[in-house]
Amino acid sequence: MLLLDTGAPTSFGKGLAGVPGVPEDPPEAMLEGLTIDWLVDHVRHGFHGLVGAEVLRERTLVIDPAERTVELKTDIIDRDAGVPVRDLMNVPIFEGAVAGQATDVIFDTGAPLGFVPANLVAGLQPVDRIAEFYPLFGPFETDVYELPLQIGNECATLRFGVLPEQVALMHTAAQLPVLVGLGLLERYRLSIGLREKRLQLEAIES
């Protein structure tokens, strides 16, 4: 089993042979200490390899929650559709707005929950508090907030947490944007690619 993680720039681990865009001899770990075994121990889901966002250079990722399918397709998104995507070290970034504040956004298939800077939720009442996990940091707890996210003409209310201060400072130093998690797929069929540099969302009929 493989984990698809569009928030990771490169693929690593085992079982990746034949995946388009993955090198023939991928590394065993992405960073020192960040191995598949370490991730499996923390996320408690069994998988042998991680497929990173580098695959989006050769294929268009299409995730259809209604059909429960994930495909790496040779089709190219219409350049007039959706919103533009930029390439940050293989990771696709696009413009959006959270709670009315314009921001860059990463869609991360490795993250069940999205994350925003603490200043965006200052003074707001959380709707939940849950246990979460961040690679190389480990487990932590975060309050959860429901915030409106706008991408192009599409707008949906999603759940976001706040990263631990140590991790948030690293994100700020690296100028990393807001992270949107898998909650986006509760509302939309998604297509994204770095060849055409586009993201397209299609609302799922309720």
Side-chain angles (χ1 to χ4, degrees), residues 47-110:
F47 55 94
H48 303 292
L50 182 145
V51 179
E54 64 190 346
V55 299
L56 302 183
R57 290 185 173 277
E58 294 192 10
R59 294 289 192 276
T60 297
L61 172 64
V62 179
I63 304 178
D64 191 332
E67 297 295 329
R68 301 179 66 84
T69 57
V70 178
E71 299 178 275
L72 289 170
K73 306 183 72 170
T74 56
D75 302 354
I76 292 180
I77 303 170
D78 186 337
R79 294 184 184 275
D80 294 326
V83 297
V85 167
R86 305 196 312 276
D87 183 347
L88 176 64
M89 296 182 295
N90 290 337
V91 175
I93 293 181
F94 48 92
E95 294 181 358
V98 177
Q101 182 169 320
T103 180
D104 284 339
V105 177
I106 288 176
F107 170 62
D108 187 352
T109 55

Side-chain angles (χ1 to χ4, degrees), residues 191-206:
S191 303
I192 189 168
L194 289 175
R195 295 173 302 164
E196 59 273 65
K197 292 185 168 56
R198 305 298 292 185
L199 164 73
Q200 185 176 14
L201 297 175
E202 299 175 61
I204 298 172
E205 294 184 6
S206 56

